Amino acid sequence: MNGTAHAAIGAAAGFVVANTLHTSPSTTLFLVGLGGVSALVPDLDIDGKLREKITFSHHLIQLVAQLIGILMVVYSFFEGSADERWIGMGIGMVMMAVSAKIKQKHMLTITGIGVLLGGISLQETWLILLGIYILIASFVSHRSYTHSILGVLFFGIIASKLEASLGINGVYYTCLAGYISHLIADLKILPFNKRGVKLFLPISSIEI
Ligand SMILES: [Zn+2]
């Protein structure tokens, strides 16, 4: 199933939650959008268009990292004391070398680290956990852990922290409903799916 279909089902799930809880029109609209986004989250584990959309511009990150590297070398050379000078220039040169080697496929990992650091500086638990989720998703194979019960539990914790942070009733159920709707839509029993999902990882890798 493609991303648009997943998002549409998730949005519908958000609408059902909003109706059940009798939320205000603006909250209903928010929950519909949140349901759509939540239904796309499990597929962060693919090398596809979705990945390119959510990750920061590859060239921009490269440029910023290289600029910081150059500034560190120059600053350390003029301002550092004897030891600091060489350490600072060394780190700057390593940064320049590493940033030249950043590839598109590492962008999701870098995005995860960015979200994690953002969460730490803002002291938002849900953002820290989301960063960890994205980091893990960037390493596991497609339709594995993000498409399992373990993935649902992890995302459920993120959703409950998000609801507590926003103070909006229905956020938790909407995120969970959107996420679970994705896994149901990816099940092998549906005629348009060639592959199923490994719901019981890591206990069993049977495809359902
Ligand atoms: Zn999927």
Side-chain angles (χ1 to χ4, degrees):
M1 187 166 277
N2 65 33
T4 313
H6 276 304
I9 298 169
F15 188 72
V16 170
V17 171
N19 260 283
T20 310
L21 296 175
H22 305 292
T23 54
S24 69
S26 59
T27 305
T28 301
L29 206 64
F30 175 67
L31 293 183
V32 166
L34 189 64
V37 171
S38 301
L40 291 173
V41 169
D43 275 350
L44 282 174
D45 63 356
I46 54 170
D47 290 297
K49 284 184 182 151
L50 186 69
R51 238 183 213 194
E52 282 159 31
K53 271 179 201 156
I54 73 122
T55 51
F56 305 125
S57 161
H58 177 213
H59 292 290
L60 185 69
I61 286 198
Q62 225 166 18
L63 193 69
V64 170
Q66 265 167 343
L67 276 174
I68 294 172
I70 292 167
L71 284 174
M72 262 193 95
V73 171
V74 174
Y75 182 83
S76 307
F77 183 77
F78 288 110
E79 301 290 331
S81 64
D83 286 345
E84 280 171 13
R85 179 180 293 170
W86 301 114
I87 294 168
M89 284 174 71
I91 294 171
M93 281 183 209
V94 168
M95 272 193 79
M96 282 160 68
V98 169
S99 57
K101 295 224 180 293
I102 294 175
K103 295 208 178 74
Q104 183 68 38
K105 67 172 180 175
H106 297 138
M107 292 309 286
L108 192 69
T109 312
I110 292 165
T111 303
I113 294 168
V115 171
L116 179 62
L117 293 176
I120 292 169
S121 65
L122 294 170
Q123 294 183 307
E124 287 283 354
T125 313
W126 71 272
L127 208 56
I128 293 171
L129 293 173
L130 184 65
I132 294 170
Y133 180 100
I134 295 172
L135 259 178
I136 295 170
S138 75
F139 289 113
V140 297
S141 57
H142 182 41
R143 287 193 176 213
S144 64
Y145 284 93
T146 63
H147 289 63
S148 71
I149 291 169
L150 205 64
V152 173
L153 293 176
F154 196 125
F155 194 70
I157 297 168
I158 297 173
S160 73
K161 300 287 181 194
L162 177 63
E163 175 163 311
S165 173
L166 293 175
I168 298 173
N169 203 12
V171 164
Y172 173 69
Y173 285 124
T174 297
C175 289
L176 216 51
Y179 197 99
I180 292 171
S181 78
H182 182 115
L183 303 196
I184 294 171
D186 273 356
L187 289 179
K188 205 160 65 177
I189 40 168
L190 298 176
F192 44 80
N193 286 328
K194 286 188 205 110
R195 292 180 58 194
V197 292
K198 295 168 181 163
L199 269 187
F200 302 107
L201 279 174
I203 296 162
S204 160
S205 55
I206 187 169
E207 266 194 19
I208 296 170

